Amino acid sequence: MIRQLKRLIDQAETVVFFGGAGVSTESGVPDFRSSQGLYRQYQGAEKFLSPRFLKKDPVTFYTFYRKHFLSDKELTPNQAHIGLAELEARGKLAAIITQNVDRLHQKAGSKTVYELHGRADTFTCRSCGKVYTKDQIRQMDHVPYCSCGEILRSDVVLFDEGLEPKTHEQAIRAIEQADLLIIGGSSLRVYPAAGLLRYQKPGGKKVLINLEPGNTPVELEINRPIGEVFGELMQLYEMEERE
């Protein structure tokens, strides 16, 4: 299967990667919908992570947010992040579209990354526009406030919010150009992000790499940890270079 994946990549003119929470689980980031995901552990997690709940009960919102998104634990890219960055450097990957907010793709060296759900490492005041880092937020009281007096919130797209228009449009354009779309670590159940796949041009091929089987017609499906898959894929490229 890994050789078939490599062959599909090599034959394609434009390859785009569409990634979900499963891309980062091997880096210690919990996903949402798997058997070990946040939704199974915490009923009502979607409610906690909504702008309405932040306004209604900021203390409970930040109790949940600090525990799951402001950990002091240093996250490192796994083989999937590293492999994707290497594919881009080799000219074999045009763009990454990610639903994750951990910025591990950038940490691995990827350049063209469209973050559909924003980023968790910065907080922007909705009143005055001042930007704070995650480290600054950690040092603040439980509910962080801007110097202007406004409650701060991270630059993450919360539930019930629409995608940022510019990023949304960039992702659509990338998918429209893809003759191979690799979908990794995603159940394809999160909308509107999952709905972007319909923009792929007619005749374009899809590959799904996910632990759980999908229900989308694809050229190739690999139900294995995505880090292992990309680790083996990059070994094939390295072997090819040595021959």
Side-chain angles (χ1 to χ4, degrees), residues 26-87:
E26 291 169 69
S27 293
V29 181
D31 64 7
F32 289 88
R33 289 175 168 77
S34 74
S35 59
Q36 303 298 318
L38 287 179
Y39 291 166
R40 297 293 181 91
Q41 298 179 45
Y42 301 94
Q43 289 189 348
E46 287 179 324
K47 178 187 74 174
F48 293 148
L49 294 173
S50 69
R52 282 182 289 183
F53 193 81
L54 170 60
K55 185 176 181 179
K56 175 185 176 182
D57 189 350
V59 172
T60 302
F61 176 94
Y62 268 104
T63 297
F64 188 86
Y65 194 91
R66 283 181 179 274
K67 179 177 180 179
H68 297 289
F69 297 96
L70 284 179
S71 169
D72 291 332
K73 179 181 177 182
E74 184 67 24
L75 299 176
T76 57
N78 61 53
Q79 288 182 303
H81 301 108
I82 295 168
L84 287 163
E86 290 181 4
L87 284 177

Side-chain angles (χ1 to χ4, degrees), residues 30-232:
D31 64 7
F32 289 88
R33 289 175 168 77
S34 74
S35 59
Q36 303 298 318
L38 287 179
Y39 291 166
R40 297 293 181 91
Q41 298 179 45
Y42 301 94
Q43 289 189 348
E46 287 179 324
K47 178 187 74 174
F48 293 148
L49 294 173
S50 69
R52 282 182 289 183
F53 193 81
L54 170 60
K55 185 176 181 179
K56 175 185 176 182
D57 189 350
V59 172
T60 302
F61 176 94
Y62 268 104
T63 297
F64 188 86
Y65 194 91
R66 283 181 179 274
K67 179 177 180 179
H68 297 289
F69 297 96
L70 284 179
S71 169
D72 291 332
K73 179 181 177 182
E74 184 67 24
L75 299 176
T76 57
N78 61 53
Q79 288 182 303
H81 301 108
I82 295 168
L84 287 163
E86 290 181 4
L87 284 177
E88 183 184 35
R90 292 169 182 263
K92 293 185 176 293
L93 183 68
I96 293 171
I97 301 167
T98 180
Q99 298 176 75
N100 297 338
V101 298
D102 49 45
R103 295 188 66 79
L104 287 175
H105 286 296
Q106 290 89 337
K107 198 169 184 179
S110 292
K111 306 299 182 185
T112 305
V113 182
Y114 302 125
E115 298 170 304
L116 293 176
H117 295 156
R119 53 190 292 181
D121 64 334
T122 57
F123 289 66
T124 301
C125 178
R126 268 46 178 181
S127 180
C128 71
K130 186 175 180 179
V131 179
Y132 294 79
T133 67
K134 186 162 63 173
D135 288 338
Q136 288 175 305
I137 298 299
R138 287 191 185 120
Q139 296 169 12
M140 292 183 181
D141 292 335
H142 190 72
V143 177
Y145 284 85
C146 178
S147 56
C148 74
E150 185 77 13
I151 291 179
L152 290 167
R153 54 159 289 183
S154 73
D155 294 326
V156 168
V157 176
L158 299 177
F159 287 100
D160 296 331
E161 291 185 316
L163 302 180
E164 194 276 320
K166 181 179 178 181
T167 304
H168 188 200
E169 181 60 32
Q170 289 172 325
I172 289 174
R173 285 203 299 268
I175 290 174
E176 286 176 336
Q177 296 168 9
D179 50 359
L180 178 62
L181 185 61
I182 302 175
I183 305 156
S186 176
S187 63
L188 298 179
R189 297 174 189 168
V190 179
Y191 286 82
L196 294 176
L197 302 188
R198 72 180 187 273
Y199 289 102
Q200 188 180 18
K201 60 186 177 182
K205 297 178 180 179
K206 294 182 180 69
V207 169
L208 177 64
I209 307 170
N210 196 48
L211 283 177
E212 299 176 0
N215 56 7
T216 299
V218 294
E219 188 79 12
L220 173 66
E221 180 167 347
I222 304 175
N223 300 129
R224 291 178 53 196
I226 191 169
E228 290 183 7
V229 171
F230 272 93
E232 293 178 21

